[in-house]
Amino acid sequence: MSVPDLDLAEVAALMRATWPVPCWNYTEELLHGYIYRPTGDAGLTSIRRNEAGELTGFLCYVPYELTFASTSKRCLFGSFWTSDRAAANTSFLSMPKELIDKARARGYSGLLAINEPGSFAERSYEMVTRFLLGTSPTKLREFETLLGQPRRIARRIVDAGAVPGSLAARYEPEHRAQAFELLRAQATDCDLAWAVPEADVDFLLGGDHARTWLGEGALLNVRCVEMLLPRKVSMAHLDHCVLPRDPGRRGAFLATVFADPFWEGIAFVSTTDLGPTPPQVFTDLGFIAPAGKRQQLLLSSLDETRLELKTPMPERKIALHTF
């Protein structure tokens, strides 16, 4: 159905009704940030309704310009695939087919997805890609989500001897050029990275659900979310992280960031071990990986382009939103 039929409040309600907990609470406002990003494409959404007009299915492909093995490729991230159980069979293939046809017509080269190895989501995605694309997806990396508690992180930083200073400033539009250069430099140091367009920088780093700190050669950006456990818990997910390699400068920057009163209302902060920041940086701060929560990043080609990474899988550095 067409974009004017898209009601994000309905989509958020469908997600809450059908997704198992724990999961993020994708509110109407949070979904809007993904779908209506300045360089996004709201036309790459698909919905399904039953005869009564009730929303029964939703799927969104989010566009990214990726630096991929030193080349630039227009790819999509398959996101928020949601179906009412009673209508799952009728939308299982029709929604992906609708969006894959649109993606090919618009010149996209690849489709990314994240799911858990061995899960129903993995089996479903395998069936869809084999049926619609004629091949299985390529696994780019397995990774873990890391969780930390802001108060403990701040205490560890101080115990390590770091002193908060004036080395970090909250993001403002006048910082756009500095932030853009930091993100672009980081992308060139990765095997696979989202080349964040300058037109998106204010939206991503200074939007309603974002908080960003900047320092000399440093940037830390989080997205404010709620986790359903099943009660709501306030969280911050670390989306973009550029840290100085020098331990002293890195410690001073992080000490300033985690001394910010912002963290007083946040129960947990999460990130992944995809890179480019070495996972040890986070584990040294007290982040842990919940048992049994490994995920995988998958890639499927939408055209004749071969999309491959030559770096061995465990050593690959990837900088992407992980939703």
Side-chain angles (χ1 to χ4, degrees):
M1 299 180 72
S2 62
V3 174
D5 296 313
L6 186 59
D7 183 334
L8 293 181
E10 280 187 296
V11 174
L14 181 64
M15 288 181 170
R16 288 192 295 270
T18 58
W19 284 21
V21 295
C23 67
W24 283 11
N25 181 23
Y26 285 101
T27 63
E28 178 180 359
E29 294 78 16
L30 192 58
L31 289 170
H32 187 278
Y34 288 108
I35 297 170
Y36 294 101
R37 201 178 74 224
T39 62
D41 187 346
L44 289 169
T45 58
S46 178
I47 66 173
R48 294 293 181 271
R49 296 187 182 276
N50 60 21
E51 293 181 355
E54 299 168 325
L55 185 71
T56 59
F58 176 74
L59 177 62
C60 173
Y61 284 179
V62 181
Y64 288 99
E65 187 80 17
L66 300 182
T67 55
F68 195 104
S70 301
T71 61
S72 180
K73 300 291 183 184
R74 296 176 67 231
C75 294
L76 296 164
F77 212 123
S79 308
F80 315 125
W81 194 356
T82 309
S83 289
D84 179 272
R85 291 177 178 83
N89 290 338
T90 62
S91 61
F92 181 70
L93 288 175
S94 64
M95 289 196 298
K97 184 180 185 308
E98 175 187 341
L99 295 189
I100 286 173
D101 288 345
K102 286 183 179 181
R104 283 174 159 167
R106 299 180 190 192
Y108 288 96
S109 297
L111 177 62
L112 294 157
I114 287 176
N115 53 46
E116 293 183 17
S119 66
F120 175 76
E122 180 193 34
R123 295 191 297 273
S124 299
Y125 187 70
E126 168 82 13
M127 291 174 61
V128 167
T129 55
R130 287 186 65 85
F131 187 84
L132 297 178
L133 301 176
T135 184
S136 297
T138 299
K139 183 188 294 187
L140 297 179
R141 266 288 303 273
E142 285 197 13
F143 65 95
E144 292 181 310
T145 295
L146 307 177
L147 287 176
Q149 293 178 296
R151 290 183 180 179
R152 292 186 178 183
I153 293 169
R155 188 160 55 245
R156 282 209 179 197
I157 294 170
V158 173
D159 289 347
V163 179
S166 57
L167 298 178
R170 288 188 182 180
Y171 180 83
E172 297 291 345
E174 57 262 31
H175 298 133
R176 183 187 310 120
Q178 177 190 358
F180 177 66
E181 288 302 321
L182 285 170
L183 294 173
R184 186 171 66 172
Q186 183 185 69
T188 61
D189 191 40
C190 293
D191 300 287
L192 175 67
W194 177 23
V196 177
E198 189 167 4
D200 281 344
V201 172
D202 286 350
F203 186 80
L204 294 169
L205 303 188
D208 293 340
H209 285 84
R211 181 61 58 89
T212 304
W213 297 264
L214 282 158
E216 184 181 351
L219 179 151
L220 192 145
N221 158 250
V222 297
R223 192 173 358 152
C224 305
V225 297
E226 289 179 332
M227 178 68 78
L228 302 179
L229 292 172
R231 64 185 179 88
K232 294 179 182 180
V233 175
S234 296
M235 289 187 61
H237 182 74
L238 201 159
D239 273 330
H240 302 283
C241 184
V242 182
L243 296 177
R245 294 183 180 180
D246 176 73
R249 290 176 55 213
R250 182 171 66 234
F253 176 72
L254 290 173
T256 307
V257 168
F258 281 95
D260 193 308
F262 161 81
W263 298 102
E264 293 175 3
I266 303 297
F268 297 99
V269 56
S270 62
T271 186
T272 72
D273 64 356
L274 274 171
T277 304
Q280 185 179 346
V281 170
F282 297 114
T283 55
D284 286 349
L285 294 173
F287 282 78
I288 61 170
K293 287 297 182 181
R294 292 196 67 82
Q295 298 182 82
Q296 58 188 355
L297 177 66
L298 306 173
L299 173 70
S300 300
S301 293
L302 295 177
D303 56 22
E304 300 302 318
T305 305
R306 289 181 60 84
L307 302 176
E308 296 179 334
L309 293 177
K310 296 181 180 180
T311 307
M313 189 181 299
E315 301 171 16
R316 292 173 181 169
K317 293 189 293 182
I318 297 174
L320 286 174
H321 268 356
T322 48
F323 296 90

